[in-house]
Amino acid sequence: MNSGGQRSLRPATAPRKVFVEAFGCQMNVLDGELAISKLSETGWVRTQDDSEADLIIFNTCSVRDQSEHRVWSRLGALRERKAMDPSLLIGVMGCMAQREASEILRRMPHVDIVCGTRRFPSMDAIVERAERGGQVLAVETDGFVDVRRDVTIRPDRHRAFVSVMRGCDHKCSYCIVPKTRGPQIDRPVVDILDEVRRLADDGVREVMLLGQNINTYGRYLDERPTLATLLRAVHEVPGIARIRFLTSNPMDLREELLRTMGELPKACGYLHFPAQSGSDSTLRRMRRGYTRSRYLELCAAARELCPGIELASDFIVGFPGETEDEFQATRSLVAEVGFKQIYVFKYSVRPGTAAAAIADDVPEDVKSLRCNDLLDLQETVSAERNRAKIGSRVEVLVDGPTRRDASRLSGRDDGNSTVIFEGSPSLAGALVGVRVTWVTAPVLYGDLVPDSER
Ligand code: SAH
Ligand code: F3S
């Protein structure tokens, strides 16, 4: 138990402020919003400034060792502040809280709350317990995860994340997620639709449906909906103009989904489906459940059924035993597919995964070389693909003025590219046409197309 003791509750008139910082994936960003939504029911308000916060929550990621290191050092840095101000509450939630709960409590006695990946919807009650004193541990993984929320609490006015499932049933040999987030639980279609409708009523135009392995959505629900049927249902919600989803394991990607995406005008032409490697032997050791040729077949099917679709992928370099030939197979896959975007990660041993039993034998400098090599290759591919868009018209959902220059607007096109152009801030939330005039590898620049020409 930590030093806190009985804390005096502040007067109800002074709103208490919570600062939440998310590390890692989009699911974490959303879980942080859900926790804030719960806390708002008991009078907490969000602050973006941790120095004025009464409660600081780190929403953590365990996917790589480095992600955890960052949180350890951030927690260490709060030790002194907590000693000066014992009324400050410090919480850790997310995958690292789930995985390292007892270590966190032992090494960081100034932490008040450790809340895992399935208990954060009760954050209001957890914080109340912490306010009464002592460290609170909430890492049970059983039972239903109630992710209903106050839809008005979100950082972005026109785009929103929606959780459709939690956890993952796969056992990719490098991946800690099934351990930290538990087995798959699907959210009923009616609950999802209810949330999407409420978001649309509050001004949201684009929803991003989130699941760790979203292609298997629905397998545990009685009516056996699929991601394709869910897309069709969300498509009917008035006010929603765009639908995206993450993340697709190629093992479970079916042509039915691609066909549906091709048919539904609101389904964005963007598919993030991580290949992880282009080498069959590495894919086998990763236990990914598909081959290079199946992956290429899916890329071809996506392009046939959804003309103009942009493909994106993740890759892990330096997986145990990865030879130069195996890496070259990944390199040639990246050159062959022509992704819009890739994310490259150096392999990181995750204790308790199957791959942790194999020696992490690719030296760090080789991992770095392979990582940089793939990123350089992709930069050339992206720049070339973007150059081909000069002169074309893209449909942009406007986010608002750019941070650097208020006279310029920023938004995303259907294929998830950032687009920057001049225009009035009143266009935020509108879908506009932009003619592309020049490009860099990550960004398209252009001019607004007048309504009369649209
Ligand atoms: N659900 C996603 C993966 C989530 S983790 C899927 O289906 O692929 C996000 C990314 O982190 C993965 O795609 C992978 O590229 C990377 N990653 C996961 N475990 C890793 C590890 N042990 N070392 C390095 N990168 C890893
Ligand atoms: Fe991880 Fe594989 Fe599931 S990468 S999240 S175990 S599909």
Side-chain angles (χ1 to χ4, degrees):
M1 293 283 145
N2 76 349
S3 53
Q6 185 79 26
R7 289 191 179 87
S8 60
L9 293 178
R10 291 165 193 226
T13 45
R16 293 161 304 165
K17 294 182 179 159
V18 53
F19 171 84
V20 177
E21 182 169 345
F23 298 79
C25 64
Q26 287 85 347
M27 334 265 160
N28 255 12
V29 174
L30 174 59
D31 289 353
E33 284 173 35
L34 297 174
I36 292 171
S37 166
K38 263 289 158 202
L39 286 170
S40 71
E41 290 172 16
T42 48
W44 288 87
V45 294
R46 181 177 206 169
T47 173
Q48 304 292 350
D49 176 2
D50 64 348
S51 71
E52 62 164 22
D54 303 291
L55 165 62
I56 294 179
I57 299 179
F58 293 133
N59 190 5
T60 58
C61 169
S62 285
V63 162
R64 283 167 295 279
D65 194 34
Q66 205 188 7
S67 338
E68 294 192 346
H69 271 308
R70 274 169 47 212
V71 173
W72 283 120
S73 68
R74 295 293 297 278
L75 286 173
L78 284 176
R79 201 187 301 262
E80 225 169 281
R81 181 166 157 199
K82 175 78 175 190
M84 310 274 287
D85 176 11
S87 71
L88 171 72
L89 290 172
I90 302 172
V92 187
M93 63 179 269
C95 287
M96 182 179 164
Q98 191 71 47
R99 201 181 82 77
E100 293 272 33
S102 45
E103 265 307 277
I104 295 172
L105 293 180
R106 191 182 66 78
R107 281 173 58 184
M108 301 285 162
H110 57 292
V111 166
D112 302 279
I113 294 165
V114 175
C115 173
T117 51
R118 296 206 166 177
R119 282 291 167 266
F120 63 87
S122 312
M123 192 56 96
D124 49 344
I126 292 169
V127 169
E128 266 172 33
R129 268 164 61 203
E131 284 180 308
R132 289 198 293 272
Q135 289 180 304
V136 179
L137 181 64
V139 291
E140 304 81 3
T141 51
D142 56 324
F144 178 65
V145 186
D146 181 0
V147 293
R148 274 174 302 176
R149 62 162 160 172
D150 176 348
V151 294
T152 62
I153 296 179
R154 54 173 203 278
D156 201 313
R157 294 330 298 157
H158 307 111
R159 298 192 284 166
F161 294 138
V162 176
S163 171
V164 307
M165 62 185 284
R166 311 203 69 88
C168 178
D169 285 348
H170 282 308
K171 295 274 175 293
C172 300
S173 63
Y174 52 82
C175 185
I176 195 74
V177 170
K179 262 194 176 341
T180 56
R181 291 194 164 250
Q184 177 170 337
I185 305 181
D186 297 321
R187 190 174 181 201
V189 176
V190 282
D191 286 7
I192 298 168
L193 287 180
D194 173 62
E195 182 165 321
V196 173
R197 278 192 206 105
R198 286 186 293 122
L199 285 165
D201 289 346
D202 196 50
V204 166
R205 314 274 342 256
E206 177 181 307
V207 284
M208 167 92 85
L209 310 177
L210 296 181
Q212 285 292 348
N213 186 30
I214 200 162
N215 297 130
T216 52
Y217 170 75
R219 56 155 61 148
Y220 295 116
L221 294 172
D222 289 344
E223 322 78 65
R224 293 292 155 86
T226 60
L227 179 57
T229 54
L230 180 65
L231 289 184
R232 287 188 192 282
V234 173
H235 200 266
E236 296 305 308
V237 177
I240 295 298
R242 282 181 167 179
I243 311 165
R244 301 185 190 278
F245 58 88
L246 274 180
T247 306
S248 291
N249 186 326
M251 189 196 315
D252 302 304
L253 186 72
R254 301 281 171 268
E255 271 83 355
E256 180 213 0
L257 176 70
L258 299 172
R259 201 164 294 116
T260 306
M261 287 173 74
E263 281 170 24
L264 299 179
K266 296 179 184 175
C268 287
Y270 176 81
L271 186 65
H272 182 127
F273 69 140
Q276 312 295 4
S277 169
S279 145
D280 282 343
S281 41
T282 310
L283 286 171
R284 228 174 296 123
R285 295 202 300 286
M286 289 179 166
R287 301 191 188 160
R288 285 293 280 177
Y290 53 87
T291 58
R292 175 193 177 97
S293 68
R294 172 66 183 151
Y295 188 84
L296 288 170
E297 205 174 276
L298 286 167
C299 293
R303 286 185 166 138
E304 189 195 319
L305 296 166
C306 314
I309 195 168
E310 296 281 7
L311 305 175
S313 184
D314 297 351
F315 290 95
I316 297 176
V317 293
F319 185 77
E322 186 185 63
T323 62
E324 185 56 30
D325 281 353
E326 287 174 330
F327 171 68
Q328 288 304 326
T330 297
R331 205 178 183 284
S332 75
L333 184 85
V334 172
E336 188 173 339
V337 173
F339 292 105
K340 170 194 155 26
Q341 194 176 19
I342 65 171
Y343 301 86
V344 186
F345 305 103
K346 293 189 267 183
Y347 171 70
S348 163
V349 186
R350 303 288 61 216
T353 58
I358 328 171
D360 179 16
D361 56 357
V362 178
E364 191 54 33
D365 56 337
V366 175
K367 285 183 187 170
S368 296
L369 280 173
R370 291 179 182 172
C371 180
N372 293 337
D373 186 29
L374 271 197
L375 290 172
D376 287 350
L377 171 62
Q378 180 57 36
E379 190 166 323
T380 316
V381 173
S382 296
E384 210 170 287
R385 291 176 64 80
N386 276 355
R387 265 197 301 276
K389 292 183 183 159
I390 292 179
S392 69
R393 210 198 73 129
V394 290
E395 187 90 349
V396 179
L397 176 63
V398 184
D399 285 328
T402 61
R403 245 180 263 150
R404 283 224 204 115
D405 177 354
S407 70
R408 301 212 292 174
L409 300 175
S410 160
R412 299 247 166 186
D413 77 353
D414 185 70
N416 210 26
S417 288
T418 299
V419 185
I420 295 183
F421 54 100
E422 274 184 20
S424 153
S426 64
L427 288 173
L431 272 172
V432 299
V434 173
R435 178 93 45 214
V436 180
T437 52
W438 69 284
V439 299
T440 58
V443 180
L444 308 177
Y445 296 85
D447 297 324
L448 202 56
V449 178
D451 276 349
S452 54
E453 291 173 33
R454 296 189 63 197

